[in-house]
Amino acid sequence: MPRTHMQITPIVTNAPSLTERAIEAVRDAIREGTLVPGELYSVYTLAENLGVSRSPVRDALLRLAETGVVRFERNRGFRVIMPGPEELVEIFAVRLALEVPAAGRAARAAVSHREALRAASAELQDAVDADDEALFMLRDQRLHGLILALAGNNLVRQTIENLRDAIRLVGASTAEKSRTLQGIHAEHTPIVEAILSGDGPGAAAAMAVHLRETGRLLAREAARQEGEGRDADALWAALID
Amino acid sequence: MPRTHMQITPIVTNAPSLTERAIEAVRDAIREGTLVPGELYSVYTLAENLGVSRSPVRDALLRLAETGVVRFERNRGFRVIMPGPEELVEIFAVRLALEVPAAGRAARAAVSHREALRAASAELQDAVDADDEALFMLRDQRLHGLILALAGNNLVRQTIENLRDAIRLVGASTAEKSRTLQGIHAEHTPIVEAILSGDGPGAAAAMAVHLRETGRLLAREAARQEGEGRDADALWAALID
DNA sequence: TAACCATGACTAACATGTTACAGGTTACAT
DNA sequence: ATGTAACCTGTAACATGTTAGTCATGGTTA
């Protein structure tokens, strides 16, 4: 029989494993405050709440532990980790080192995907207009991811993606209060413009401005929260510039 | 009670879990060729060979999968992944972005740990003299790790450490043949010298030279191995410089 | 009051059982 | 010969069982 081409959409092999679903569930729980940083939890009870066995939950938490979102304590339980000012400064040092050149490279990338970039930027503006912070965070992440994708280095993209994970805990909870969503988005605009007009150095510079601004703010907020007169700016100066 | 400083070495909670031991065992097995890239293996048999149950072995492999050393195939088994030229170029793009500024920062770091740096360099020379490639790789890794430690960003250190993991598969097996150990070590010397003399820009430049040289070589070797006229230099140009 | 110890509740880490599915093989119809 | 469908094997993913260790508590002693 000739293998005639059938016009059928193939089954989406999208079946997310229980482990992956558990990862998302934990992330959501952290965002919504169901899981509080510092508190001790157990795989046992978490698995029960999720309605699955301990195995996939444990696997999920181990993967989250790998990226520093949670930490296991032997025979005690696990905790959600709130990144302190040191961690945040370190994270932004990495982001600056990787995302700034990536923005420049994205400006030189093929024009084919530029439309997607424009769309992502517009969608971000929509989130601003709707004043939906959760949506904003999501689309902000997508925009940054898109720029990294344009730059063409998957490893960089994946690395940054993991870091952003840790940030959202702080970002969503506190620090963004000092800036309006409109203010943050205003910082991306020049990045997007520069990329669209093929201006590599301009895109890199704009990205640097944006990341420095965001990073400093988050680090200061984290320092204040930890009290003890932690000096975020000193940490910043030691690792950046 | 005044918290007097006690000169007691704290209890070494050094008990490495079975999972961690399994990770090391797998790494060793890959290095020694017991586990061949591309071949299908099962957690079942591997666990049996290691003399432990499947759980810690599975955990270990999942963590290695996270860093791209192995890949699982549902209901089939797992494979050791040999990084191709694309991956290698991406890895070195990251290393350049992170390690070059780190070298510069290390030069400005506290003088206190400089002695360790000198020692690490000397030990590397010893490995060269003994013509012991395995030992060389280990100490080379330690030297790079030390420089990153001096730079003060733990996140960077950990990130690079993970990447080097993937590299050693290629490095140990093939590519280093084109350079003598002495030749490689000759590239670090100016890095170490510059750091010791506090010359930040010089250290950064020397590190850049070293990483470019190494990366190009590994990428070309990987491209040759994959055949098909893969052009490593084109990939390199697209992501670096 | 304070140091000590037994004991019980709870946990991660590890071990073992179970299941659904991917992919090869084989028997068979055409 | 060739496509096909039933069957078989081996596996990851998931579920459940076991163990050793941590910590809180409360009772006991000095």
Side-chain angles (χ1 to χ4, degrees):
Chain A
M1 185 198 295
R3 295 171 175 268
T4 54
H5 177 67
M6 304 189 219
Q7 186 62 345
I8 294 183
T9 51
I11 289 181
V12 248
T13 341
N14 230 357
S17 64
L18 282 185
T19 299
E20 294 174 61
R21 279 190 273 170
I23 289 178
E24 269 318 303
V26 170
R27 281 185 183 147
D28 291 345
I30 293 174
R31 262 173 242 145
E32 291 174 30
T34 312
L35 291 180
V36 185
E39 205 75 15
L40 255 181
Y41 300 102
S42 81
V43 176
Y44 241 103
T45 59
L46 179 54
E48 193 149 308
N49 285 5
L50 293 177
V52 297
S53 83
R54 314 192 299 275
S55 301
V57 176
R58 180 178 152 83
D59 287 352
L61 288 169
L62 282 175
R63 273 172 62 173
L64 289 171
E66 195 87 0
T67 64
V69 176
V70 303
R71 180 178 309 150
F72 273 92
E73 300 183 15
R74 170 147 189 152
N75 297 330
R76 301 252 303 139
F78 69 88
R79 291 181 206 275
V80 175
I81 299 301
M82 172 80 87
E86 296 92 347
E87 279 96 341
L88 280 172
V89 171
E90 292 185 353
I91 286 172
F92 274 87
V94 171
R95 289 193 65 183
L96 278 162
L98 296 179
E99 289 199 76
V100 169
R105 216 172 303 281
R108 289 192 289 282
V111 196
S112 55
H113 298 110
R114 297 261 171 88
E115 199 42 53
L117 188 60
R118 212 183 294 271
S121 183
E123 281 176 2
L124 191 54
Q125 180 62 54
D126 290 346
V128 171
D129 294 338
D131 201 36
D132 184 339
E133 182 168 326
L135 188 64
F136 180 85
M137 295 295 279
L138 184 68
R139 292 189 170 165
D140 175 67
Q141 173 154 10
R142 195 170 299 165
L143 176 60
H144 278 269
L146 190 57
I147 292 173
L148 292 173
L150 284 179
N153 189 326
N154 283 316
L155 177 60
V156 168
R157 203 168 66 79
Q158 180 195 322
T159 302
I160 298 296
E161 210 73 23
N162 285 341
L163 295 184
R164 296 197 116 246
D165 224 38
I167 296 176
R168 269 186 310 189
L169 302 185
V170 194
S173 60
T174 63
E176 296 302 347
K177 286 167 192 158
S178 40
R179 279 194 297 180
T180 66
L181 296 185
Q182 181 62 56
I184 305 174
H185 184 42
E187 282 174 17
H188 306 108
T189 311
I191 304 176
V192 174
E193 289 304 321
I195 293 178
L196 288 175
S197 64
D199 175 12
M207 179 64 86
V209 168
H210 173 48
L211 289 177
R212 276 170 209 277
E213 199 61 35
T214 309
R216 267 219 166 83
L217 230 58
L218 288 175
R220 280 184 191 142
E221 179 61 32
R224 181 169 330 124
Q225 210 157 336
E226 272 195 6
E228 297 283 338
R230 315 281 286 99
D231 187 357
D233 288 347
L235 290 168
W236 186 273
L239 291 184
I240 295 176
D241 304 312
Chain B
M1 185 200 296
R3 293 169 178 270
T4 53
H5 177 68
M6 306 188 220
Q7 187 61 346
I8 294 183
T9 50
I11 290 183
V12 253
T13 331
N14 228 357
S17 64
L18 281 187
T19 299
E20 293 174 62
R21 278 190 273 170
I23 290 178
E24 270 316 305
V26 170
R27 282 185 184 146
D28 291 346
I30 292 173
R31 263 175 240 145
E32 291 173 29
T34 312
L35 291 179
V36 185
E39 204 74 15
L40 255 182
Y41 300 101
S42 82
V43 176
Y44 243 102
T45 59
L46 179 54
E48 191 149 311
N49 285 4
L50 293 178
V52 296
S53 83
R54 314 194 297 277
S55 303
V57 176
R58 181 179 152 82
D59 288 352
L61 288 169
L62 282 175
R63 273 170 61 172
L64 289 171
E66 195 87 0
T67 63
V69 176
V70 304
R71 179 178 309 149
F72 273 91
E73 299 184 16
R74 171 151 188 146
N75 298 330
R76 300 258 303 143
F78 68 89
R79 292 181 207 276
V80 174
I81 300 300
M82 173 80 86
E86 296 90 347
E87 279 97 339
L88 281 172
V89 170
E90 291 186 353
I91 286 172
F92 274 87
V94 173
R95 289 193 65 184
L96 277 163
L98 296 179
E99 288 200 78
V100 168
R105 216 171 303 280
R108 288 192 289 281
V111 196
S112 55
H113 299 109
R114 297 261 171 87
E115 198 44 51
L117 188 60
R118 210 185 295 271
S121 183
E123 279 175 4
L124 191 54
Q125 180 63 53
D126 291 346
V128 171
D129 294 338
D131 202 37
D132 184 338
E133 182 167 324
L135 188 65
F136 180 86
M137 295 293 280
L138 184 68
R139 292 189 170 166
D140 175 67
Q141 174 153 15
R142 194 170 300 166
L143 177 60
H144 279 268
L146 190 57
I147 292 173
L148 292 172
L150 284 179
N153 189 325
N154 284 315
L155 177 60
V156 169
R157 202 167 68 80
Q158 180 194 321
T159 304
I160 298 296
E161 210 73 23
N162 285 342
L163 296 185
R164 296 196 115 247
D165 225 38
I167 296 175
R168 271 188 307 190
L169 302 184
V170 194
S173 59
T174 61
E176 296 302 348
K177 286 168 193 159
S178 40
R179 280 193 298 181
T180 65
L181 296 185
Q182 181 62 55
I184 305 172
H185 185 43
E187 281 175 17
H188 309 102
T189 311
I191 304 176
V192 173
E193 288 304 322
I195 293 178
L196 287 175
S197 65
D199 175 13
M207 178 65 86
V209 168
H210 172 47
L211 288 178
R212 277 171 209 278
E213 197 62 35
T214 307
R216 267 219 167 83
L217 229 57
L218 287 176
R220 280 188 190 138
E221 177 61 31
R224 181 170 331 127
Q225 210 159 332
E226 271 194 8
E228 299 281 341
R230 315 282 284 98
D231 188 354
D233 288 347
L235 291 169
W236 187 271
L239 290 185
I240 297 178
D241 304 315

